[in-house]
């Protein structure tokens, strides 16, 4: 069973996922990065460009999901280096620090509490999020075209692409596509008919929606909505 709540860290979400049966639901691209706990270990999930399926036996997971563009400043690594990857935190931070943080998370009342405390400390020591990148995410999430958004932000195409790679792990067109998928899924899960979902979320038509869902989620929309979690 998956559950989430808003974090005390602005824009972040704290979540848990406890398997309730065989198989695991795919993790879909959402523009975010996560600090993860699994069986006493700390890991980092990079930004995904396609559905990610956890292999191995089912186990409990917990995480802090950072809003798009914010995690690289906390981790000290460009997002594109972690694209489509799950890596131990020890690959990114000194081993002594990771041992200390792991012990703190494992000693917390629950893993989410410990993870949230780590994230809050990191955020307190990091620079403030770039407001330009926040404006980019807001514009693209509202369905604004990439070229028009770049003009509004006063950025050239190459500069916008370079900054997007570092912050989000991929270019602005991929970010726009991922955010559009998430808009569509929210509508479809609320019971909006697929044709209306496609129109309201920015797809050319229902066929365009179906193609994008297959490419990004790895399965048809109807099958995706039928999966638990």
């Amino acid at each position: 069973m998956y559950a989430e709540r808003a974090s005390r860290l602005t824009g972040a979400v704290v979540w848990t996922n406890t398997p309730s049966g065989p198989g695991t639901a795919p993790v879909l691209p959402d523009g975010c990065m996560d600090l993860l706990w699994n069986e006493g270990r700390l890991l980092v999930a990079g930004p995904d460009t396609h559905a990610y399926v956890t292999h191995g036996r089912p186990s409990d997971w917990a995480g802090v999901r950072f809003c798009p563009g914010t995690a690289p400043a906390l981790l000290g690594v460009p997002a594109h280096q972690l694209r489509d990857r799950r890596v131990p935190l020890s690959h990114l931070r000194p081993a002594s620090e990771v041992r200390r943080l792991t012990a703190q998370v494992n000693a917390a009342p629950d893993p989410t509490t410990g993870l949230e405390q780590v994230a809050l400390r990191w955020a307190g020591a990091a620079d403030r999020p770039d407001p330009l990148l926040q404006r980019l995410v807001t514009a693209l999430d509202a369905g604004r075209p990439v070229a028009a958004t770049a003009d509004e932000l006063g950025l050239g195409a190459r500069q916008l692409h370079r900054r997007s790679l570092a912050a989000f792990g991929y270019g602005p067109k991929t970010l726009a596509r991922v955010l559009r998928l998430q808009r569509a899924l929210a509508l479809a899960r609320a019971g909006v008919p697929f044709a209306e979902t496609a129109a309201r979320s920015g797809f050319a038509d229902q066929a365009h929606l179906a193609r994008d869902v297959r490419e990004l989620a790895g399965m048809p929309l109807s099958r995706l909505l039928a999966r638990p979690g």
Side-chain angles (χ1 to χ4, degrees):
M1 177 181 294
Y2 176 85
E4 67 177 41
R5 63 170 174 82
S7 170
R8 289 183 289 148
L9 178 61
T10 302
V13 171
V14 176
W15 59 268
T16 58
N17 193 14
T18 302
S20 55
T24 56
V27 178
L28 303 183
D30 58 8
C32 301
M33 295 173 59
D34 296 58
L35 174 63
L36 305 172
W37 174 93
N38 174 244
E39 298 188 323
R41 304 173 301 146
L42 298 184
L43 305 97
V44 173
D48 293 321
T49 59
H50 53 77
Y52 183 91
V53 178
T54 301
H55 298 287
R57 67 179 180 82
S59 58
D60 292 348
W61 289 80
V64 176
R65 180 173 301 116
F66 303 102
C67 57
T70 60
L74 307 185
L75 296 168
V77 60
H80 64 82
Q81 293 186 12
L82 299 175
R83 183 172 55 234
D84 295 319
R85 299 175 64 197
R86 305 300 189 265
V87 302
L89 182 61
S90 57
H91 289 188
L92 309 176
R93 312 284 279 214
S96 58
E97 178 187 0
V98 174
R99 285 194 296 269
R100 175 175 54 81
L101 294 177
T102 301
Q104 290 176 359
V105 173
N106 288 331
D110 58 79
T112 56
T113 298
L115 291 172
E116 189 172 31
Q117 291 172 344
V118 171
L120 287 166
R121 286 198 297 272
W122 283 353
D127 294 334
R128 294 176 61 86
D130 187 343
L132 185 144
L133 294 176
Q134 293 179 304
R135 289 169 57 196
L136 173 63
V137 173
T138 299
L140 297 182
D141 196 30
R144 294 283 295 152
V146 172
T149 301
D151 289 342
E152 292 164 1
L153 296 177
L155 294 176
R158 289 185 179 180
Q159 186 181 15
L160 179 60
H161 188 81
R162 183 172 63 252
R163 293 178 71 165
S164 294
L165 281 178
F168 310 113
Y170 33 62
K173 290 185 178 180
T174 299
L175 176 62
R177 192 179 180 211
V178 166
L179 294 175
R180 182 177 61 188
L181 171 71
Q182 289 295 326
R183 292 197 303 274
L185 290 177
L187 291 170
R189 285 169 175 154
V192 177
F194 290 177
E196 183 181 349
T197 289
R200 288 173 57 182
S201 52
F203 291 89
D205 51 31
Q206 187 174 336
H208 183 199
L209 167 65
R211 288 194 302 273
D212 251 30
V213 171
R214 280 183 176 273
E215 291 178 11
L216 294 173
M219 65 183 70
L221 180 56
S222 57
R223 181 180 162 199
L224 180 62
L225 296 178
R227 294 186 69 98

